[in-house]
Amino acid sequence: MMEDTRWLNQVQWDEQGLVPVITQDAASGEVLMFAWMNREALSLTAEHGEAVYWSRSRRKLWHKGEESGHIQKVRDIRIDCDSDVVLLKVEQVGGIACHTGRRSCFFQQYLSEGRWEPVEPVLKDPDQIYRKD
């Protein structure tokens, strides 16, 4: 029997067939990252319990952590009141969500001097995370 996918039809996909996704730490509530999903990515995320996104730059599915090992174990999937934004609550394996080696992608803070300043530490050098063989 085929899986019921009506729940995917409730999502308000944009003209490219994408929906924005906010990813949050399930325990602390900290926002870890923002990304996009297409229908297949959301379906795979729900099916396997690990975050799968759509990479707009690479134009392909992206299983978070496929290169770094920093997978996101999904604890909850929600949708907003307009059905056009997905919220993932995850357990961030390895404690690093950002490709820069930081806990969160939101590590830059606006300062009154009119500039952005990194305010979160690099936990692991990206060259050690993404080894080029």
Side-chain angles (χ1 to χ4, degrees), residues 29-91:
E30 177 184 15
V31 175
L32 299 175
M33 56 181 279
F34 170 86
W36 297 89
M37 285 183 174
N38 63 9
R39 186 181 181 98
E40 184 180 7
L42 183 54
S43 179
L44 288 169
T45 296
E47 181 181 343
H48 297 291
E50 293 183 356
V52 177
Y53 300 102
W54 175 256
S55 171
R56 294 183 306 162
S57 60
R58 293 178 283 181
R59 304 201 46 76
K60 68 175 195 162
L61 290 174
W62 156 45
H63 180 202
K64 177 68 175 161
E66 64 192 2
E67 292 180 36
S68 67
H70 300 142
I71 63 170
Q72 294 175 336
K73 295 182 180 180
V74 176
R75 300 296 178 228
D76 194 10
I77 302 174
R78 298 188 182 203
I79 197 164
D80 77 332
C81 57
D82 296 322
S83 301
D84 62 357
V85 178
V86 170
L87 174 66
L88 290 185
K89 294 185 179 190
V90 303
E91 174 191 334

Side-chain angles (χ1 to χ4, degrees), residues 7-45:
W7 65 278
L8 290 167
N9 295 334
Q10 292 179 258
V11 176
Q12 298 301 307
W13 307 99
D14 72 9
E15 52 281 346
Q16 284 91 41
L18 302 175
V19 66
V21 182
I22 299 166
T23 305
Q24 186 178 45
D25 182 277
S28 70
E30 177 184 15
V31 175
L32 299 175
M33 56 181 279
F34 170 86
W36 297 89
M37 285 183 174
N38 63 9
R39 186 181 181 98
E40 184 180 7
L42 183 54
S43 179
L44 288 169
T45 296

